[in-house]
Amino acid sequence: SQTIHQWPATLVQPVGSPLSLECTVEGTSNPNLYWYRQAAGRGLQLLFYSVGIGQISSEVPQNLSASRPQDRQFILSSKKLLLSDSGFYLCAWKGPSVISPLHFGNGTRLTVT
Amino acid sequence: KNQVEQSPQSLIILEGKNCTLQCNYTVSPFSNLRWYKQDTGRGPVSLTIMTFSENTKSNGRYTATLDADTKQSSLHITASQLSDSASYICVVSAGGTDSWGKLQFGAGTQVVVTP
Protein backbone atom coordinates (compact mmCIF):
# COMPACT_ATOMS: atom_id res chain seq x y z
CA SER A 1 0.00 0.00 0.00
CA GLN A 2 1.05 3.58 -0.53
CA THR A 3 2.21 5.76 2.35
CA ILE A 4 3.46 9.29 2.61
CA HIS A 5 5.88 10.51 5.24
CA GLN A 6 6.37 14.13 6.15
CA TRP A 7 8.69 15.55 8.77
CA PRO A 8 9.18 17.20 11.12
CA ALA A 9 5.71 17.36 12.66
CA THR A 10 6.38 20.68 14.37
CA LEU A 11 9.08 23.28 13.92
CA VAL A 12 9.86 26.61 15.56
CA GLN A 13 12.35 28.74 13.69
CA PRO A 14 13.55 32.34 14.11
CA VAL A 15 13.03 34.92 11.39
CA GLY A 16 15.84 34.82 8.84
CA SER A 17 16.75 31.19 9.44
CA PRO A 18 16.68 28.55 6.67
CA LEU A 19 14.00 25.91 6.24
CA SER A 20 13.94 22.39 4.91
CA LEU A 21 10.83 20.21 5.04
CA GLU A 22 11.00 16.75 3.56
CA CYS A 23 8.33 14.47 2.16
CA THR A 24 8.71 10.93 0.84
CA VAL A 25 6.21 8.58 -0.74
CA GLU A 26 6.29 4.79 -0.68
CA GLY A 27 4.43 2.22 -2.68
CA THR A 28 3.92 4.13 -5.91
CA SER A 29 6.07 5.38 -8.74
CA ASN A 30 6.07 8.65 -10.65
CA PRO A 31 3.47 10.31 -8.43
CA ASN A 32 2.39 13.90 -8.84
CA LEU A 33 3.66 15.68 -5.72
CA TYR A 34 2.34 18.81 -4.07
CA TRP A 35 3.16 21.25 -1.29
CA TYR A 36 0.24 23.12 0.28
CA ARG A 37 0.05 25.69 3.05
CA GLN A 38 -2.95 26.07 5.29
CA ALA A 39 -3.43 29.21 7.36
CA ALA A 40 -5.76 29.09 10.36
CA GLY A 41 -9.39 29.19 9.19
CA ARG A 42 -8.37 29.37 5.56
CA GLY A 43 -8.40 26.93 2.70
CA LEU A 44 -5.39 25.09 1.38
CA GLN A 45 -3.10 27.15 -0.80
CA LEU A 46 -1.09 25.33 -3.45
CA LEU A 47 2.57 26.32 -3.28
CA PHE A 48 4.34 23.92 -5.63
CA TYR A 49 3.61 20.84 -7.64
CA SER A 50 5.78 18.39 -9.53
CA VAL A 51 4.95 15.86 -12.22
CA GLY A 52 8.45 14.37 -12.38
CA ILE A 53 12.04 14.50 -11.13
CA GLY A 54 13.44 18.00 -11.43
CA GLN A 55 10.12 19.38 -12.69
CA ILE A 56 8.73 22.01 -10.32
CA SER A 57 5.90 24.44 -10.92
CA SER A 58 5.33 27.35 -8.57
CA GLU A 59 1.87 28.70 -7.97
CA VAL A 60 2.65 31.52 -5.57
CA PRO A 61 5.78 33.72 -5.87
CA GLN A 62 7.44 33.97 -2.47
CA ASN A 63 10.65 33.19 -0.66
CA LEU A 64 10.01 29.44 -0.69
CA SER A 65 11.38 26.93 -3.17
CA ALA A 66 10.86 23.25 -3.83
CA SER A 67 12.97 20.46 -5.26
CA ARG A 68 12.39 16.88 -6.33
CA PRO A 69 15.77 15.16 -6.31
CA GLN A 70 14.27 11.68 -6.51
CA ASP A 71 11.03 10.27 -7.89
CA ARG A 72 9.36 9.97 -4.49
CA GLN A 73 11.05 12.77 -2.58
CA PHE A 74 9.82 16.34 -2.41
CA ILE A 75 11.56 19.05 -0.42
CA LEU A 76 10.32 22.50 0.57
CA SER A 77 13.02 25.04 1.37
CA SER A 78 13.66 28.62 2.26
CA LYS A 79 16.91 30.53 2.64
CA LYS A 80 15.45 33.11 5.04
CA LEU A 81 12.13 32.63 6.78
CA LEU A 82 9.64 35.45 7.27
CA LEU A 83 7.03 35.76 10.00
CA SER A 84 4.38 35.32 7.32
CA ASP A 85 5.76 31.86 6.53
CA SER A 86 4.17 30.48 9.70
CA GLY A 87 1.46 27.95 8.98
CA PHE A 88 0.58 24.32 8.49
CA TYR A 89 2.43 22.77 5.56
CA LEU A 90 1.05 19.70 3.87
CA CYS A 91 2.69 17.43 1.35
CA ALA A 92 0.48 15.31 -0.89
CA TRP A 93 0.73 12.87 -3.77
CA LYS A 94 -1.78 12.06 -6.48
CA GLY A 95 -2.07 9.52 -9.24
CA PRO A 96 -2.17 10.58 -12.91
CA SER A 97 -5.93 10.24 -13.35
CA VAL A 98 -8.03 13.38 -12.98
CA ILE A 99 -10.26 11.50 -10.51
CA SER A 100 -7.38 10.27 -8.37
CA PRO A 101 -7.61 11.62 -4.80
CA LEU A 102 -4.92 13.61 -3.08
CA HIS A 103 -3.15 11.61 -0.36
CA PHE A 104 -1.84 13.93 2.31
CA GLY A 105 0.91 13.60 4.86
CA ASN A 106 0.21 14.60 8.44
CA GLY A 107 1.66 18.04 7.98
CA THR A 108 4.30 20.24 9.57
CA ARG A 109 3.27 23.01 11.94
CA LEU A 110 5.81 25.81 11.33
CA THR A 111 6.04 28.75 13.70
CA VAL A 112 8.40 31.55 12.76
CA THR A 113 9.33 33.72 15.75
CA LYS B 1 -12.96 35.44 -5.81
CA ASN B 2 -12.86 31.87 -4.53
CA GLN B 3 -14.44 29.46 -6.98
CA VAL B 4 -15.56 27.14 -4.17
CA GLU B 5 -17.66 28.49 -1.31
CA GLN B 6 -18.62 26.41 1.71
CA SER B 7 -21.27 27.03 4.34
CA PRO B 8 -21.65 27.23 7.20
CA GLN B 9 -18.16 28.21 8.28
CA SER B 10 -18.67 26.22 11.47
CA LEU B 11 -21.39 24.37 13.30
CA ILE B 12 -21.96 22.62 16.60
CA ILE B 13 -24.24 19.60 16.80
CA LEU B 14 -25.25 17.16 19.48
CA GLU B 15 -24.05 13.60 19.25
CA GLY B 16 -26.56 11.47 17.41
CA LYS B 17 -28.03 14.35 15.39
CA ASN B 18 -27.77 14.86 11.64
CA CYS B 19 -26.25 17.80 9.81
CA THR B 20 -25.75 19.00 6.26
CA LEU B 21 -22.83 20.95 4.84
CA GLN B 22 -23.04 22.96 1.65
CA CYS B 23 -20.61 23.58 -1.17
CA ASN B 24 -21.27 25.96 -4.07
CA TYR B 25 -18.82 26.25 -6.92
CA THR B 26 -18.28 28.19 -10.11
CA VAL B 27 -15.46 26.03 -11.49
CA SER B 28 -15.89 25.42 -15.19
CA PRO B 29 -15.53 23.15 -17.00
CA PHE B 30 -16.36 20.75 -14.21
CA SER B 31 -14.71 17.36 -13.82
CA ASN B 32 -15.44 16.12 -10.31
CA LEU B 33 -16.05 17.18 -6.73
CA ARG B 34 -14.52 15.52 -3.74
CA TRP B 35 -15.20 15.88 -0.01
CA TYR B 36 -12.32 15.54 2.42
CA LYS B 37 -12.32 15.18 6.19
CA GLN B 38 -9.49 16.83 8.10
CA ASP B 39 -8.96 15.99 11.74
CA THR B 40 -7.17 18.63 13.80
CA GLY B 41 -3.43 18.60 13.15
CA ARG B 42 -3.68 15.97 10.42
CA GLY B 43 -3.82 15.91 6.66
CA PRO B 44 -7.19 15.71 4.88
CA VAL B 45 -8.57 12.31 3.91
CA SER B 46 -10.92 11.74 0.99
CA LEU B 47 -14.49 10.76 1.88
CA THR B 48 -16.20 10.60 -1.46
CA ILE B 49 -15.97 11.75 -5.07
CA MET B 50 -18.81 12.96 -7.26
CA THR B 51 -18.54 13.05 -11.03
CA PHE B 52 -20.82 14.92 -13.40
CA SER B 53 -23.25 12.06 -13.88
CA GLU B 54 -23.64 11.19 -10.21
CA ASN B 55 -26.33 12.68 -7.97
CA THR B 56 -25.83 10.83 -4.71
CA LYS B 57 -23.09 8.75 -3.17
CA SER B 58 -22.76 7.32 0.31
CA ASN B 59 -19.80 6.29 2.42
CA GLY B 60 -21.10 4.88 5.68
CA ARG B 61 -22.86 7.67 7.55
CA TYR B 62 -21.69 10.26 5.00
CA THR B 63 -23.90 10.99 1.99
CA ALA B 64 -22.85 13.43 -0.70
CA THR B 65 -25.12 14.92 -3.31
CA LEU B 66 -24.35 16.85 -6.46
CA ASP B 67 -26.51 19.12 -8.60
CA ALA B 68 -24.33 19.93 -11.59
CA ASP B 69 -26.97 22.28 -13.02
CA THR B 70 -26.97 24.59 -10.01
CA LYS B 71 -23.33 23.79 -9.19
CA GLN B 72 -24.10 22.77 -5.64
CA SER B 73 -23.06 19.85 -3.49
CA SER B 74 -23.96 18.83 0.01
CA LEU B 75 -22.48 16.45 2.56
CA HIS B 76 -24.95 14.94 5.00
CA ILE B 77 -23.74 13.35 8.20
CA THR B 78 -26.20 10.94 9.78
CA ALA B 79 -26.28 10.06 13.48
CA SER B 80 -23.18 12.10 14.24
CA GLN B 81 -20.46 10.71 16.45
CA LEU B 82 -17.78 12.48 18.46
CA SER B 83 -15.23 11.26 15.93
CA ASP B 84 -17.01 13.29 13.24
CA SER B 85 -15.59 16.46 14.80
CA ALA B 86 -13.33 17.76 12.05
CA SER B 87 -13.07 20.20 9.19
CA TYR B 88 -14.81 19.12 5.99
CA ILE B 89 -13.31 20.44 2.79
CA CYS B 90 -14.95 20.58 -0.63
CA VAL B 91 -12.51 20.29 -3.54
CA VAL B 92 -13.56 20.78 -7.15
CA SER B 93 -11.49 19.57 -10.06
CA ALA B 94 -11.68 21.44 -13.34
CA GLY B 95 -11.80 19.56 -16.60
CA GLY B 96 -8.77 19.44 -18.82
CA THR B 97 -5.91 17.26 -19.86
CA ASP B 98 -3.48 18.46 -17.22
CA SER B 99 -2.90 15.52 -14.92
CA TRP B 100 -2.88 17.58 -11.76
CA GLY B 101 -6.46 18.50 -12.32
CA LYS B 102 -6.55 22.22 -11.49
CA LEU B 103 -8.00 21.68 -8.02
CA GLN B 104 -10.01 24.42 -6.30
CA PHE B 105 -10.38 24.21 -2.52
CA GLY B 106 -13.12 25.51 -0.28
CA ALA B 107 -12.17 27.00 3.08
CA GLY B 108 -13.88 24.14 4.91
CA THR B 109 -16.67 23.76 7.46
CA GLN B 110 -15.56 23.13 11.03
CA VAL B 111 -17.90 20.61 12.67
CA VAL B 112 -17.93 20.11 16.42
CA VAL B 113 -19.95 17.21 17.83
CA THR B 114 -20.74 17.54 21.52
CA PRO B 115 -21.84 14.77 23.90
Side-chain angles (χ1 to χ4, degrees), chain A residues 32 34 36 38 41-44 46 49 51 59 88 90 94-102 104-107 109, chain B residues 9 31-32 34 36 38 41-46 49 51 89 91 93-94 96 98-101 103 105-108:
Chain A
N32 293 340
Y34 305 82
Y36 289 91
Q38 186 176 36
R42 307 269 313 262
L44 275 73
L46 178 64
Y49 71 95
V51 298
E59 289 295 303
F88 191 50
L90 287 159
K94 184 178 181 295
S97 168
V98 69
I99 64 171
S100 298
L102 283 165
F104 289 89
N106 280 329
R109 174 72 59 191
Chain B
Q9 188 175 32
S31 173
N32 62 81
R34 196 178 284 273
Y36 288 81
Q38 184 178 20
R42 306 293 292 269
V45 175
S46 175
I49 180 173
T51 57
I89 303 170
V91 182
S93 178
D98 191 319
S99 64
W100 68 282
L103 303 173
F105 287 78

Side-chain angles (χ1 to χ4, degrees), chain B:
Chain B
K1 187 181 186 300
N2 195 357
Q3 296 185 58
V4 180
E5 299 285 350
Q6 291 188 242
S7 62
Q9 188 175 32
S10 63
L11 65 92
I12 301 173
I13 58 173
L14 289 174
E15 187 178 11
K17 299 296 185 182
N18 305 334
C19 68
T20 300
L21 317 179
Q22 299 291 341
C23 175
N24 297 338
Y25 63 92
T26 59
V27 176
S28 182
F30 172 83
S31 173
N32 62 81
L33 183 149
R34 196 178 284 273
W35 285 93
Y36 288 81
K37 178 187 179 187
Q38 184 178 20
D39 293 320
T40 301
R42 306 293 292 269
V45 175
S46 175
L47 290 175
T48 184
I49 180 173
M50 306 291 291
T51 57
F52 187 87
S53 59
E54 296 174 306
N55 299 118
T56 304
K57 184 176 285 186
S58 292
N59 176 5
R61 294 178 296 99
Y62 299 104
T63 299
T65 66
L66 175 67
D67 186 332
D69 291 331
T70 62
K71 298 187 176 181
Q72 295 178 327
S73 176
S74 66
L75 181 69
H76 186 76
I77 305 175
T78 303
S80 61
Q81 300 177 359
L82 297 178
S83 59
D84 293 330
S85 295
S87 178
Y88 292 83
I89 303 170
C90 175
V91 182
V92 181
S93 178
T97 57
D98 191 319
S99 64
W100 68 282
K102 298 180 178 67
L103 303 173
Q104 298 292 336
F105 287 78
T109 292
Q110 185 66 46
V111 174
V112 176
V113 181
T114 61

